[in-house]
Amino acid sequence: MDFVKVKNVSEYDGKEVKLRGWVFNLRKSGKIWFLVFRDGTGIIQCVVLKNLVDAEVFDKKTILTQESSVIITGTVRKEDRAAIGYEITVSNIEIVHVADEYPIGKKEHGADFLLSNRHLWLRSKKQTALMKIRHTVYYAITDYLNGQDFYRFDSPILTPNACEGTTTLFEVPYFDEGTAFLSQSGQLYLETGIMALGRCYDFGPVFRAEKSKTRKHLTEFWMMDAEAAYVKHDENMDIQEGLIRHVIRTVIERNEEDLKILERDIEQLKKADAPFIRMTHKEAIDKVNNKGGNLSYNDDFGSVEESMVTDDSDVPVFIERWPAEIKAFYMKRDENDSNIVLGDDLIAPEGFGEIIGGSEREDNHDMLLERMKSEDMDIEPYQWYLDLRKYGSVPHSGFGIGLERLVGWVSGVKHIRETIPFPRTIYRLNP
Ligand code: 4AD
Ligand code: MG
């Protein structure tokens, strides 16, 4: 008899199957007991009836504990009251391992306790649902880009220079070369890739020594950077919008069950799959101030102000055309206003904040060099980056998605520490 996965039991109605996995829950009473079983693909109730199994099998109820590993043999039966629509009538239970008393039970645990037990917490329903949605988001992003002629181009993690400013760099001693920095974003390397391949993306861990304690910041998170030659600012936003809408559709299609487990308002999420709003930084500042905010035209938006920008919108909002002085050195100047750069932040609705940062890049060698000098940057480690503006420079643009921020919004989970298997923050390196 082959092993069957819980997600496929409907194909075996009335047949005997074997399942291997773990005890999610046990309910015992008199002549019948129930073993709620999980195998990673789903959860199904297994019914053990005294008059149908050997006494030795029936008595396993006294040995088994939550999270024990078991191999179940039984018959698949339709059961309309079950969430999955089926149940297993057990004929045999093989115990693989009897688990010690499990530290995570039904009672409420504090966040710190759960995070310290992250290696076990991951087995609970909501955490498993989140990991499945993360898997889909990852898949949907690469699927979309592959379909738009982007090549995967992996950027290095050990780097000689900063991408996003020097205040959040992690330093690593690097042999005789001195100090290396953990990458904050693969963007600068992707700009080299597109000069060979036209369109590229990377997808991997990036690092920021953020001393920030908010629910939106990690010190290690996953970033997808995409970059495209001959794409200008407006088309850059079109690509971002197409990609995010594809992600929403794919998650709704593949993870409806998981979204329900997380109590995500799916109707609200569906509404985000419509044309996104675009407003300039200046318009966004005016909007915030009209609602009682107090920002000047050279300010960035905090979490509260981001929510003020999006709270009357079902779709994400692009804030574009930013003051140069508050954005990174590589962003291209607006032809008509040299104080403005062609950058865009994409702000998710429902208070989830910035999920993408992107821009058209400065492609003029001298203007880029001048900006770098004005910021007192050490030019030498960026010589290769400047070279790209010497050998067949072209207009080009790109953007970076924070995977955990996107998963958090799509899942409706407010704290991004739950959207990555092992979150890293200033306070946590363990497990
Ligand atoms: O806006 P950021 O800093 O942009 C860049 O790094 C560009 N070089 C990307 C590019 O153009 N290729 O970061 C991009 C995204 C943010 O919008 C946010 O979603 C996420 O990365 N992010 C973080 N996520 C979790 N924890 C942090 N500390 C984050 N910092 C940024
Ligand atoms: Mg940003």
Side-chain angles (χ1 to χ4, degrees):
M1 205 186 312
D2 286 343
F3 289 104
V4 167
K5 296 190 176 72
V6 171
K7 72 172 170 109
N8 298 330
V9 290
S10 64
E11 297 162 27
Y12 295 85
D13 190 16
K15 299 210 175 74
E16 187 162 68
V17 297
K18 263 179 186 260
L19 303 162
R20 44 186 173 183
W22 294 265
V23 174
F24 187 68
N25 198 359
L26 291 161
R27 282 191 290 122
K28 310 169 192 179
S29 72
K31 294 193 165 69
I32 180 168
W33 60 280
F34 304 93
L35 187 162
V36 182
F37 172 93
R38 63 170 187 84
D39 73 348
T41 70
I43 290 182
I44 193 163
Q45 174 156 282
C46 303
V47 186
V48 191
L49 289 154
K50 190 162 191 152
N51 62 354
L52 281 186
V53 295
D54 295 344
E56 179 246 339
V57 173
F58 192 76
D59 289 342
K60 285 185 175 166
K61 70 177 180 181
T62 58
I63 309 169
L64 284 173
T65 53
Q66 183 189 347
E67 287 306 320
S68 290
S69 36
V70 288
I71 296 174
I72 306 271
T73 310
T75 305
V76 179
R77 278 194 313 104
K78 239 190 156 60
E79 170 53 71
D80 293 336
R81 284 169 300 174
I84 187 173
Y86 293 87
E87 242 179 29
I88 304 286
T89 305
V90 172
S91 51
N92 193 28
I93 300 172
E94 195 184 313
I95 297 180
V96 180
H97 178 248
V98 177
D100 286 1
E101 193 185 337
Y102 203 60
I104 301 178
K106 286 206 191 72
K107 72 173 171 88
E108 281 283 310
H109 296 288
D112 202 55
F113 174 85
L114 291 171
L115 286 165
S116 294
N117 286 284
R118 183 64 172 162
H119 54 297
L120 302 176
W121 185 26
L122 285 165
R123 301 184 191 189
S124 68
K125 252 187 185 174
K126 284 191 173 175
Q127 300 307 310
T128 303
L130 275 165
M131 291 306 119
K132 288 183 181 175
I133 291 170
R134 181 181 167 104
H135 172 80
T136 301
V137 172
Y138 183 92
Y139 160 83
I141 290 173
T142 53
D143 180 51
Y144 187 80
L145 292 171
N146 294 341
Q148 302 275 322
D149 298 324
F150 283 79
Y151 290 97
R152 180 161 180 145
F153 181 85
D154 296 314
S155 52
I157 284 173
L158 290 166
T159 60
N161 48 17
C163 179
E164 295 296 320
T166 51
T167 55
T168 62
L169 280 176
F170 277 112
E171 300 186 359
V172 185
Y174 201 80
F175 310 108
D176 295 338
E177 298 292 308
T179 303
F181 306 109
L182 297 184
S183 178
Q184 299 163 307
S185 157
Q187 177 202 321
L188 308 188
Y189 290 97
L190 281 183
E191 289 183 55
T192 72
I194 61 161
M195 303 302 170
L197 296 158
R199 291 178 163 210
C200 295
Y201 67 95
D202 65 13
F203 211 145
V206 294
F207 305 87
R208 299 205 185 170
E210 300 260 15
K211 294 216 175 68
S212 166
K213 291 187 268 182
T214 79
R215 53 190 171 78
K216 292 176 184 164
H217 289 90
L218 296 167
T219 54
E220 175 179 323
F221 61 99
W222 277 59
M223 173 111 75
M224 190 293 301
D225 298 281
E227 198 71 26
Y230 292 105
V231 164
K232 305 192 92 173
H233 173 61
D234 286 324
E235 193 183 348
N236 191 30
M237 291 190 289
D238 295 341
I239 296 171
Q240 294 165 50
E241 179 170 336
L243 173 50
I244 296 299
R245 292 178 62 179
H246 178 74
V247 169
I248 294 168
R249 278 196 292 272
T250 312
V251 170
I252 290 171
E253 190 184 300
R254 294 186 165 217
N255 295 85
E256 202 183 337
E257 264 324 298
D258 300 309
L259 292 169
K260 283 185 188 154
I261 289 170
L262 293 163
E263 295 166 42
R264 177 66 166 107
D265 183 344
I266 300 177
E267 288 314 309
Q268 190 60 41
L269 187 59
K270 280 184 184 160
K271 288 185 195 159
D273 182 16
F276 292 180
I277 290 169
R278 298 181 185 192
M279 65 176 77
T280 64
H281 174 269
K282 184 171 176 298
E283 286 164 347
I285 295 280
D286 288 341
K287 182 168 181 181
V288 168
N289 288 345
N290 286 337
K291 291 185 174 184
N294 183 24
L295 295 178
S296 80
Y297 287 126
N298 278 335
D299 279 338
D300 201 347
F301 302 89
S303 190
V304 174
E305 291 92 4
E306 279 180 350
S307 295
M308 290 165 91
V309 173
T310 54
D311 62 9
D312 54 0
S313 172
D314 289 329
V315 296
V317 175
F318 282 107
I319 302 179
E320 51 153 336
R321 294 178 189 267
W322 287 68
E325 68 180 71
I326 58 168
K327 282 294 189 194
F329 72 96
Y330 50 70
M331 293 193 183
K332 189 174 177 62
R333 303 273 166 165
D334 187 339
E335 275 172 2
N336 305 316
D337 183 351
S338 65
N339 293 319
I340 297 293
V341 286
L342 301 174
D344 67 270
D345 280 8
L346 184 64
I347 316 298
E350 302 172 77
F352 284 90
E354 180 192 333
I355 52 173
I356 298 186
S359 77
E360 187 169 338
R361 319 303 190 188
E362 184 52 74
D363 49 37
N364 179 289
H365 178 275
D366 294 346
M367 285 177 74
L368 181 60
L369 184 61
E370 188 192 319
R371 171 82 195 254
M372 292 169 77
K373 282 183 175 157
S374 77
E375 290 200 9
D376 277 337
M377 291 170 65
D378 184 6
I379 304 300
E380 183 48 36
Y382 293 90
Q383 211 52 66
W384 59 272
Y385 185 67
L386 284 159
D387 266 359
L388 302 176
R389 280 73 182 164
K390 287 198 218 158
Y391 304 102
S393 191
V394 293
H396 64 286
S397 303
F399 59 94
I401 300 180
L403 178 62
E404 291 74 19
R405 298 259 186 103
L406 179 54
V407 172
W409 167 47
V410 170
S411 314
V413 169
K414 288 282 173 186
H415 206 305
I416 65 168
R417 67 187 171 205
E418 291 183 44
T419 63
I420 186 166
F422 292 95
R424 299 287 177 245
T425 60
I426 34 171
Y427 297 121
R428 187 165 288 282
L429 191 57
N430 197 347

